[in-house]
């Protein structure tokens, strides 16, 4: 385009110098030259605009490429997280399955224990006479058998020595205990809140422990219960069943309980079977 303008200018000058062209032709050439110059300026401006547009498009393309790369990284990270989550879910499912097995095991153990306790209670109740049942209370609470013996029936008045009439009842209880060797036996003495102070008995703590010890020694010495299964303990006046404000309440609180429970070592073995947490 630039070469054409220069050529036209030279042509015009040549014609003027030679005098071979008319004034009209000169004017026409000049007009054409102006048009060419205007066209050149417009074309230059369009080229500059086009160059700027290309630069803008290249910048937009670069930004889009960056965005696409960021999205790809985010997608890759998400896929990795999903994979890790699936692994964690698999571990969680395994832990739940192990826990369910353990729960079923506990349910089986509890069902067997409940069944044994029911048989034990029924056998004990059937072995006692109607008169004995008036002074002996048998209950099963949370898988544990409680045999509560009336204080007046079990001991001599104001003493921790076993009464003669308690012997037959204890022999029946001892027979049941011996038949069920998978249970341990806790003998627990309880008193009312009336203070006591006698020779070798300082207070109700002493009295409750001495009475429990007397029952343990009778079960072992007279009725052949394995002493390894026996434990003697006293709770004094601090485990009442009811108020001590009445004579009837005091009489009810003065009691000795024979508590028959599953063996502690078997219980600990059961605890040891709990599923370990998977890492």
């Amino acid at each position: 385009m630039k070469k054409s303008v220069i050529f036209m200018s030279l042509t015009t000058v040549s014609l003027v110098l030679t005098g071979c062209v008319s004034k009209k032709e000169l004017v026409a050439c000049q007009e054409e030259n102006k048009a060419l110059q205007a066209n050149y300026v417009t074309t230059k401006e369009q080229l500059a605009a086009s160059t700027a547009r290309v630069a803008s498009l290249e910048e937009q393309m670069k930004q889009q490429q960056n965005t696409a790369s960021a999205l790809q990284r985010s997608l890759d990270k998400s896929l990795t997280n999903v994979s890790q989550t699936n692994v964690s879910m698999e571990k969680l499912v395994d832990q739940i399955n192990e826990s369910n097995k353990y729960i079923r095991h506990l349910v089986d153990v509890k069902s067997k224990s409940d069944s044994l306790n029911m048989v034990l209670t029924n056998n004990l109740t059937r072995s006692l006479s109607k008169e004995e049942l008036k002074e002996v209370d048998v209950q099963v609470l949370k898988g544990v058998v409680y045999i509560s013996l009336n204080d007046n029936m079990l001991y001599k008045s104001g003493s921790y020595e076993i009464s003669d009439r308690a012997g037959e009842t204890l022999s029946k209880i001892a027979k049941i205990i011996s038949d069920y060797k998978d249970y341990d036996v806790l003998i627990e003495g309880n008193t009312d809140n009336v203070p006591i102070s006698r020779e070798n008995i300082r207070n109700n703590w002493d009295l409750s422990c001495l009475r429990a010890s007397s029952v343990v020694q009778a079960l072992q010495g007279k009725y052949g219960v394995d002493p390894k299964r026996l434990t003697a303990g006293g709770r004094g006046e601090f485990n009442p069943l009811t108020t001590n404000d009445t004579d009837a309440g005091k009489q009810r609180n003065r009691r000795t309980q024979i508590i028959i429970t599953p063996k502690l070592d078997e219980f600990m073995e059961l605890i040891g079977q709990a599923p370990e947490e998977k890492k």
Side-chain angles (χ1 to χ4, degrees), residues 62-262:
K62 183 178 179 180
Q63 291 177 355
Q64 290 176 352
Q65 289 175 342
N66 292 337
T67 301
S69 297
L71 289 174
Q72 184 62 48
R73 289 193 298 270
S74 178
L75 178 60
D76 293 341
K77 184 177 180 180
S78 297
L79 292 175
T80 301
N81 291 337
V82 168
S83 178
Q84 293 174 348
T85 300
N86 289 337
V87 172
S88 299
M89 287 296 294
E90 290 176 358
K91 291 182 178 179
L92 179 60
V93 169
D94 290 341
Q95 291 176 358
I96 291 174
N97 290 335
E98 290 297 323
S99 297
N100 287 338
K101 290 179 182 178
Y102 180 61
I103 290 171
R104 287 193 294 270
H105 179 61
L106 289 179
V107 170
D108 291 341
V109 170
K110 184 178 184 304
S111 298
K112 292 177 181 177
S113 176
D114 289 345
S115 298
L116 286 173
N117 288 339
M118 187 60 64
V119 173
L120 186 153
T121 303
N122 290 338
N123 289 344
L124 177 61
T125 303
R126 284 197 298 268
S127 69
L128 298 175
S129 66
K130 291 182 179 180
E131 292 302 319
E132 288 173 324
L133 286 173
K134 292 179 181 179
E135 298 179 300
V136 178
D137 180 44
V138 182
Q139 296 185 41
V140 177
L141 300 175
K142 296 182 179 180
V144 178
V145 178
Y146 292 83
I147 306 170
S148 185
L149 304 174
N150 187 291
D151 175 78
N152 293 336
M153 180 272 292
L154 193 54
Y155 307 104
K156 294 179 180 179
S157 179
S159 173
Y160 55 83
E161 294 183 16
I162 303 296
S163 67
D164 295 334
R165 72 190 187 99
E168 185 176 352
T169 302
L170 282 179
S171 68
K172 294 176 181 178
I173 294 175
K175 174 66 168 59
I176 296 298
I177 292 174
S178 297
D179 288 342
Y180 291 84
K181 300 183 184 300
D182 292 331
Y183 289 80
D184 282 332
V185 183
L186 168 65
I187 312 300
E188 180 185 276
N190 295 271
T191 70
D192 58 26
N193 65 345
V194 178
I196 185 173
S197 181
R198 298 183 183 180
E199 187 179 357
N200 299 324
I201 304 177
R202 293 167 297 182
N203 48 42
N204 284 327
W205 278 114
D206 280 355
L207 180 59
S208 64
C209 291
L210 287 168
R211 286 183 166 178
S213 179
S214 293
V215 174
V216 164
Q217 293 181 63
L219 291 173
Q220 174 191 353
K222 289 185 179 182
Y223 308 112
V225 177
D226 184 356
K228 294 180 181 178
R229 299 174 56 194
L230 300 173
T231 302
R235 303 189 69 176
E237 64 196 69
F238 302 103
N239 185 36
L241 292 175
T242 185
T243 177
N244 282 300
D245 295 337
T246 64
D247 290 340
K250 291 177 181 177
Q251 182 178 351
R252 189 179 177 196
N253 290 332
R254 293 192 304 267
R255 69 200 187 280
T256 297
Q257 286 188 310
I258 300 177
I259 304 172
I260 304 175
T261 65

Side-chain angles (χ1 to χ4, degrees), residues 50-68:
S50 298
T51 302
R53 177 62 177 167
V54 169
S56 176
L57 290 174
E58 289 177 345
E59 181 63 25
Q60 291 180 16
M61 182 179 294
K62 183 178 179 180
Q63 291 177 355
Q64 290 176 352
Q65 289 175 342
N66 292 337
T67 301

